[in-house]
Amino acid sequence: MPPNPAGPGIVGTIIAITMKGKGMSLEAALALSFPFAVIIQLFITGIYTVSTGFAARAEQEVEKGNYRRFRLLANGTLLMFVAMGFILGFGAAFQVKGLERLVGAIPQWLTEGLGTAGKILPAVGFAVILSAMARWDTIPFLALGYVMAAYLKLPVLAVALASAALSWIAYGKRPIAEGPEKGGEEDGNRGEGQRGKPDDKSRVDESFGRERLGGPRIPEPELRRLSKKTALRAYFLQNGYNYGNYEGLSYANIMFPAFCRICANEAQLRRELKDSMGYCSVNPNFLPILTSIHLAALNRGIPGRGTRDIRLALMGPLAGVGDSLVQFCLAPVFSTIGAAMTQEGLILGPVVFLLGMNGLLLAMKLSSEKVGYRLGASLAERLKGSMDPLSGAARMVGAAVIAGLAANCVDLRLDLALAGVQGEVLEVQGFLDMLLPGALPVAYMGILFYLIRKRKWGTHSLVAMTLVLGVLLKTAGILL
């Protein structure tokens, strides 16, 4: 949990403007604003923790058919941020010294403990997604992902590609059913007058044992327009972010208008919405790949549960590539250009940054929608009869990626040392790094997985336990 740049960005700017006539320099304003980077991060952590319960409440509202409250909950994180920003902005403008005293009143042990807990919290999300896809056949891939990430130091994309190759070998010889012949009963677009009526010939997908969607398909041109509109709604992916299912609640909200058009009846609409509220963590600019796959398959009779494993397996690589491309490539380039122009006194500096950056991000969303739609349509037509091989392969890839992410992204380290007989000191963490690097984060994720699967713990309880453990063990000097 590093200090958040929004603190210096908001408060530092206010101090520089309001105290300019009192001799306040830009450098001094920046230095004075640093404590607010800490307090804002604490507020953000608190909001993400409080909003963890929104997902369960949203499911209840969907079951009742109260979609207005569902959408309100799906935007709850954003609303809390708006309130926090409003209070912080006016508070910083009128009570700068009071806010500084508030930051100084926070005990150091609490700040450091929450910082340690924040480094461990990603393990909760990894355990949640693992609980959704773990089977006996994925255990070897969990070990494979851990070895590649911890010992070989491979990035997440390499882990995904290697595990995909091995899963291809595992499932490559299994027969995959082709889609229906053209002109068949499920292929043609039926009349609009039948929309909303259940299909008497709706069947059960033998691969999953789940009811397949009945009802007519909407025409392909309309579906494509619907997919593009859904892709543009990716801007709302952070509106319901929480430590429970991360972006899962927002994902369901983004898909809601499309579900209303595709689902044949309200029972299917409720089922699809609840199934979409599972774990989701992906870069917003590559989200359209997932949404378009979902919609293309759904319109061809494959429910969301049928493509869930595929979408889960894609999240890790898409998040890694998207975050790296946007945060470490595009953002530095355009911010450097804009800052250089601004230092020369050109007001167009911020304009170049905003238009250039957002223009490219919009192009990425539309391009990824096109890729995902083609992939989803192809998969749905070929695999309508049997998606078990592809789903199994996706679970294998996803398990390997999750193990690799846990080893690299969960910062759980011991601050213990053992004294030897001759006075030498053995650092426990250093010994573990030589023997089993990254084992503690993976082990903690395994404990959380057990609590979810066997003890039926909710994500709110897991987050609270992680925060308390982080503060206590850091204060006791056990964790770094």
Side-chain angles (χ1 to χ4, degrees):
M1 187 178 65
N4 194 284
I10 298 172
V11 182
T13 303
I14 292 175
I15 293 176
I17 293 174
T18 57
M19 299 185 180
K20 182 179 179 180
K22 300 178 181 179
M24 177 66 66
S25 64
L26 294 177
E27 293 77 12
L30 181 61
L32 288 172
S33 67
F34 277 143
F36 297 95
V38 177
I39 193 171
I40 285 186
Q41 188 59 51
L42 293 176
F43 284 152
I44 290 174
T45 302
I47 288 176
Y48 288 160
T49 302
V50 171
S51 58
T52 299
F54 287 178
R57 179 68 182 277
E59 283 196 33
Q60 296 174 2
E61 298 299 339
V62 167
E63 189 62 33
K64 298 175 183 177
N66 196 335
Y67 302 115
R68 181 174 296 179
R69 288 188 180 178
F70 152 69
R71 305 195 74 178
L72 180 64
L73 289 166
N75 291 284
T77 304
L78 174 67
L79 296 176
M80 286 192 288
F81 272 121
V82 170
M84 185 194 76
F86 183 85
I87 295 172
L88 184 64
F90 276 87
F94 296 104
Q95 291 292 333
V96 175
K97 292 183 179 180
L99 285 175
E100 288 180 356
R101 286 195 293 268
L102 175 62
V103 174
I106 299 176
Q108 186 176 359
W109 63 266
L110 179 59
T111 302
E112 293 179 352
L114 288 175
T116 299
K119 297 174 185 178
I120 308 174
L121 273 175
V124 176
F126 298 149
V128 170
I129 189 173
L130 187 62
S131 69
M133 64 166 47
R135 305 287 189 276
W136 285 109
D137 58 353
T138 61
I139 293 178
F141 283 80
L142 281 169
L144 175 67
Y146 165 70
V147 170
M148 287 192 291
Y151 286 94
L152 303 180
K153 306 299 181 183
L154 295 179
V156 64
L157 185 58
V159 174
L161 292 175
S163 56
L166 292 176
S167 65
W168 178 278
I169 296 174
Y171 278 94
K173 296 182 180 180
R174 301 193 182 188
I176 298 178
E178 296 290 338
E181 297 293 333
K182 289 185 177 181
E185 184 179 80
E186 292 185 3
D187 185 65
N189 295 331
R190 300 174 215 177
E192 283 295 311
Q194 297 180 0
R195 278 299 298 164
K197 298 180 180 179
D199 190 349
D200 294 334
K201 297 181 180 180
S202 61
R203 303 176 306 186
V204 173
D205 188 335
E206 296 178 357
S207 302
F208 293 90
R210 303 187 184 100
E211 180 184 352
R212 296 181 61 197
L213 293 178
R217 290 165 40 180
I218 64 176
E220 204 69 20
E222 182 182 354
L223 179 65
R224 188 61 198 280
R225 290 193 298 270
L226 198 62
S227 179
K228 290 181 179 179
K229 291 180 180 179
T230 305
L232 294 177
R233 291 172 59 83
Y235 285 104
F236 306 141
L237 186 61
Q238 302 289 325
N239 286 16
Y241 190 95
N242 62 82
Y243 284 146
N245 59 8
Y246 285 65
E247 298 160 345
L249 185 54
S250 296
Y251 180 86
N253 186 39
I254 288 171
M255 298 293 290
F256 176 71
F259 287 160
C260 290
R261 181 67 186 92
I262 295 178
C263 292
N265 51 56
E266 190 170 359
Q268 292 175 354
L269 172 62
R270 294 179 183 179
R271 183 169 63 246
E272 288 297 324
L273 274 177
K274 290 191 291 184
D275 289 344
S276 298
M277 290 185 207
Y279 176 90
C280 178
S281 181
V282 68
N283 186 277
N285 303 291
F286 285 154
L287 175 71
I289 293 180
L290 305 182
T291 58
S292 53
I293 288 176
H294 194 161
L295 293 178
L298 182 63
N299 194 49
R300 286 164 174 79
I302 300 176
R305 290 185 180 182
T307 57
R308 181 183 61 183
D309 289 335
I310 300 171
R311 288 181 279 116
L312 285 173
L314 287 173
M315 287 178 190
L318 290 179
V321 173
D323 290 348
S324 299
L325 180 62
V326 174
Q327 297 180 20
F328 304 114
C329 179
L330 299 181
V333 169
F334 280 100
S335 61
T336 301
I337 294 173
M341 294 177 66
T342 304
Q343 285 184 331
E344 296 297 325
L346 298 175
I347 193 65
L348 288 179
V351 177
V352 169
F353 171 76
L354 289 173
L355 294 183
M357 187 74 181
N358 287 286
L360 278 178
L361 295 183
L362 176 61
M364 287 173 59
K365 289 181 177 67
L366 295 177
S367 299
S368 60
E369 182 277 332
K370 187 175 182 180
V371 171
Y373 186 86
R374 289 181 176 178
L375 178 61
S378 174
L379 289 175
E381 288 301 329
R382 289 197 64 231
L383 305 175
K384 242 196 254 188
S386 174
M387 289 194 66
D388 186 61
L390 184 59
S391 181
R395 287 198 303 270
M396 292 177 174
V397 176
V401 169
I402 288 301
L405 288 172
N408 286 334
C409 299
V410 179
D411 190 359
L412 178 58
R413 293 175 296 160
L414 296 176
D415 189 16
L416 297 176
L418 300 177
V421 178
Q422 299 179 355
E424 68 274 12
V425 177
L426 174 64
E427 292 186 0
V428 177
Q429 186 61 51
F431 176 76
L432 289 176
D433 289 340
M434 289 189 297
L435 185 64
L436 293 170
L440 283 178
V442 176
Y444 186 69
M445 181 187 70
I447 294 173
L448 297 175
F449 172 77
Y450 170 79
L451 293 175
I452 295 173
R453 272 287 183 91
K454 299 299 182 180
R455 299 298 182 182
K456 308 301 180 184
W457 279 37
T459 51
H460 222 143
S461 300
L462 298 176
V463 170
M465 182 187 75
T466 302
L467 290 174
V468 172
L469 283 177
V471 173
L472 293 179
L473 295 180
K474 175 63 176 179
T475 305
I478 298 176
L479 294 181
L480 287 171

